Amino acid sequence: MQPAKAVAPRPVVRPVQVDEDGTGVPCPSCGTPNPPDRRFCRRCATPLTPGTAPPPLPWWRTIWPLRRRTRAGSGRTTRFLVVLAVVLALGAGGFLLLPAGRSLFEDTRDKLGKSKAVTPVRVEASAEVPGHPAGDATDGLSNRYWGAPGPGASVTYTFAKPFRLVAVIVTNGASTSPEDYAREGRALQIEMEVTASDGRRTVKRLALSDKPGPQTFPTGISDATSIRLTLDAPAGLDGDRHLALAELEFFQRS
């Protein structure tokens, strides 16, 4: 038999001699006295000078983005002024952009919604050719027309209540028939003045193509109560001819 392998003796841990001096700062955990220069307890290693809890923030510092603790002299005043300037700039920008935002919202509703025809309750023309009154332009028939002696003549349509004018359809000339269209003169430009319920006036110029058939013009004007159309830029007005406007249709948002 071979001899057994020698085993090294296990190390003996000797206890650390603890100074039993009863003077010094007592440990908050085990009560052991410690010299004044120690930061941790010599018996249990508990911190002898724990950090004190920071004071609570004032109520106005609990609101974002001010809910951040800062050291003294770390630019707290500058940061506050910058935040205040940004808030004021955003408020001013929102106030200035409010009309544009409202207009964009209404235009989107016009495109996504449906429209229906609205009929005026009164028609007044500055001039008419005998046999062709201004009312013929809103009678729903394209073979009858309003005849005006020349450019500058206007017609005003009044409505029963304010409405959102989303579009105007103009049928120019004496008729939708190509043979009858050119027998009278035509206005290739119409100045449209829309009066709102608060007295605000909006002017749009409608450029017409010199061809028969309806032509659609989106408008997007709110609270319209009356519309005045003035004929301009005549075409085919020679001899004893006059300006002809076959049909006008006004549409509101349903």
Side-chain angles (χ1 to χ4, degrees), residues 148-151 181-187 233-244:
Y181 171 78
R183 75 171 186 259
E184 298 294 347
R186 291 84 58 196
L237 191 63
D238 53 0
D240 57 353
R241 292 184 177 185
H242 53 262
L243 296 179

Side-chain angles (χ1 to χ4, degrees), residues 123-125 127-128 132-139 145-147 154-155 157 245:
V123 180
E124 297 176 342
E128 297 174 342
H132 300 284
D136 286 351
T138 53
D139 60 357
Y145 63 87
W146 166 46
S154 64
V155 58
Y157 297 94
L245 188 61

Side-chain angles (χ1 to χ4, degrees), residues 109-218:
R109 290 186 60 190
D110 292 343
K111 295 177 181 179
L112 297 180
K114 296 182 178 180
S115 60
K116 62 179 180 180
V118 55
T119 304
V121 295
R122 188 169 68 251
V123 180
E124 297 176 342
S126 63
E128 297 174 342
V129 173
H132 300 284
D136 286 351
T138 53
D139 60 357
L141 301 175
S142 59
N143 58 352
R144 300 199 303 180
Y145 63 87
W146 166 46
S154 64
V155 58
T156 302
Y157 297 94
T158 305
F159 300 87
K161 59 182 180 179
F163 67 98
R164 170 79 176 179
L165 179 65
V166 297
V168 176
I169 296 181
V170 181
T171 303
N172 205 7
S175 173
T176 56
S177 171
E179 295 78 10
D180 298 333
Y181 171 78
R183 75 171 186 259
E184 298 294 347
R186 291 84 58 196
L188 300 184
Q189 190 175 85
I190 296 179
E191 181 183 272
M192 182 178 67
E193 182 182 275
V194 182
T195 303
S197 57
D198 59 357
R200 175 174 45 87
R201 299 178 185 273
T202 304
V203 178
K204 288 182 174 291
R205 292 190 175 273
L206 311 181
L208 301 172
S209 299
D210 194 7
K211 63 180 182 180
Q215 302 179 46
T216 303
F217 299 91

Side-chain angles (χ1 to χ4, degrees), residues 51-70:
T52 58
L57 293 173
W59 67 269
W60 58 271
R61 290 286 304 283
T62 61
I63 303 174
W64 187 92
L66 300 176
R67 57 182 183 191
R68 176 182 175 186
R69 296 185 180 274
T70 58

